Amino acid sequence: MSTEKTRFPRPPFDKQPQQFPGLASAMHPLPDHGEKSYQGHNRLTGKKALITGGDSGIGRAVAIAYAREGADVAINYLPAEESDAKEVIDLIKAEGRKAIAIPGDITDEAFCKTLVDKAVQELGGLDILVNNAGRQQFCESISELSTESFDATFKTNVYAPFWITRAAVAHLGEGAAIINTSSVQAFKPSDILLDYAQTKACNVAFTKALAKQLGPKGIRVNAVAPGPYWTALQVCGGQPQEKVAHFGEEAPLARPGQPVEIAPLYVTLASDENSFASGQVWCSDGGTGTA
Ligand code: NAD
Ligand code: MG
């Protein structure tokens, strides 16, 4: 029987640089998105969900979990990630659920509107929006942080969730849920993630303000704040490779989380069971106790 000590990989890991946006399929060890292990319990039967960044990492784990909980799922990702996305689409279909692939770049405002329109049209409505896509590129010094890079991080992590959510709200009814993906970086920013950490703090304020705005409509808004999770984001410029080799070592559980381990938070926040939780940030960081 597997235990906490043997079930999930522990550092050290190989250095494994990839170009942004990276592929989960090229990582070693392969991240565990719950492909073989996640068991659904009918918590989202009949719901319709849109997940950005649903091809890999946390978004893929959420897509698999949602399908196994009974939801139809649309995923967005960058065209370069088609091979990762295809695996997710096949897994959703294997559950007998609708699987909609909508590739495209969410730093483009017009595309964000198209994305929501397509998801609503093909799913036949929308109950759950998961803003999960993100850009994290480390930079040692403010002197070297270019305006272009700063702008791309804000466009992906702050503007896109705003554009997508604004378009989605028109389609969300009572009982709908919006889940944003923040980070422990919102609360304990790293020196080398100056721009990224700011965007993740923005996600917290966005979540809290929007929960107040949409509460009267019966729509809940929450954020999840992951700690170190073993995903493509980290190996394709999110961390220096020396840090990738020791990724997760500083957490009390002494390892990174695997995407499957955070999917249950996104499930419960989307489900009708958790009907009074809104405007909160839910942290999963291996014991640091950040948020
Ligand atoms: P990931 O690389 O597997 O997923 C991020 C996804 O974002 C990519 O798959 C890509 O499809 C999408 N994306 C990026 N730029 C895009 C663009 N311009 N247009 C469309 N899609 C784009 O990595 P992940 O770690 O699963 O990241 C998911 C979320 O979790 C991100 O918001 C990230 O900031 C957050 N997060 C991750 C960690 C961690 O340790 N992995 C920690 C805290 C927060
Ligand atoms: Mg990806």
Side-chain angles (χ1 to χ4, degrees), residues 16-236:
Q16 46 191 290
Q18 287 193 50
Q19 292 295 315
F20 177 85
L23 288 176
S25 63
M27 290 180 70
H28 44 99
L30 282 174
D32 181 351
H33 308 92
E35 287 90 342
K36 298 205 173 85
S37 59
Y38 189 90
Q39 286 192 351
H41 297 90
N42 304 312
R43 290 199 166 93
L44 304 175
T45 306
K47 303 251 189 209
K48 302 164 197 307
L50 168 60
I51 304 168
T52 63
D55 59 300
S56 60
I58 292 167
R60 180 198 288 222
V62 175
I64 293 169
Y66 278 13
R68 291 190 186 161
E69 297 289 353
D72 291 332
V73 181
I75 61 167
N76 161 252
Y77 50 91
L78 286 163
E81 300 170 302
E82 190 62 45
S83 61
D84 269 1
K86 169 88 172 51
E87 292 180 12
V88 181
I89 292 295
D90 289 348
L91 285 160
I92 298 169
K93 284 187 179 158
E95 299 304 316
R97 309 309 316 176
K98 255 192 212 170
I100 316 292
I102 314 176
D105 187 340
I106 59 169
T107 63
D108 175 345
E109 179 176 359
F111 172 72
C112 288
K113 174 85 170 62
T114 305
L115 167 63
V116 172
D117 289 348
K118 270 195 188 163
V120 168
Q121 192 184 357
E122 300 208 26
L123 292 170
L126 193 63
D127 306 297
I128 306 164
L129 170 63
V130 179
N131 285 309
N132 165 76
R135 179 184 193 272
Q136 175 185 324
Q137 294 285 297
F138 83 89
C139 183
E140 306 275 356
S141 162
I142 189 169
S143 313
E144 284 153 24
L145 183 54
S146 71
T147 302
E148 289 71 26
S149 187
F150 185 92
D151 191 52
T153 305
F154 269 79
K155 283 272 157 50
T156 312
N157 300 359
V158 178
Y159 280 75
F162 161 61
W163 289 327
I164 292 166
T165 305
R166 188 177 59 187
V169 159
H171 304 281
L172 299 176
E174 196 178 340
I178 298 169
I179 305 165
N180 300 313
T181 305
S182 177
S183 167
V184 294
Q185 288 293 322
F187 309 97
K188 290 189 179 162
S190 299
D191 52 351
I192 62 170
L193 295 175
L194 192 69
D195 54 343
Y196 176 82
Q198 291 181 75
T199 65
K200 293 292 149 175
C202 286
N203 297 155
V204 170
F206 178 68
T207 298
K208 294 189 178 215
L210 195 64
K212 290 179 181 161
Q213 208 178 98
L214 298 183
K217 295 191 169 137
I219 301 170
R220 294 175 300 108
V221 188
N222 287 283
V224 174
Y229 269 85
W230 185 245
T231 69
L233 179 101
Q234 302 294 356
V235 303
C236 70

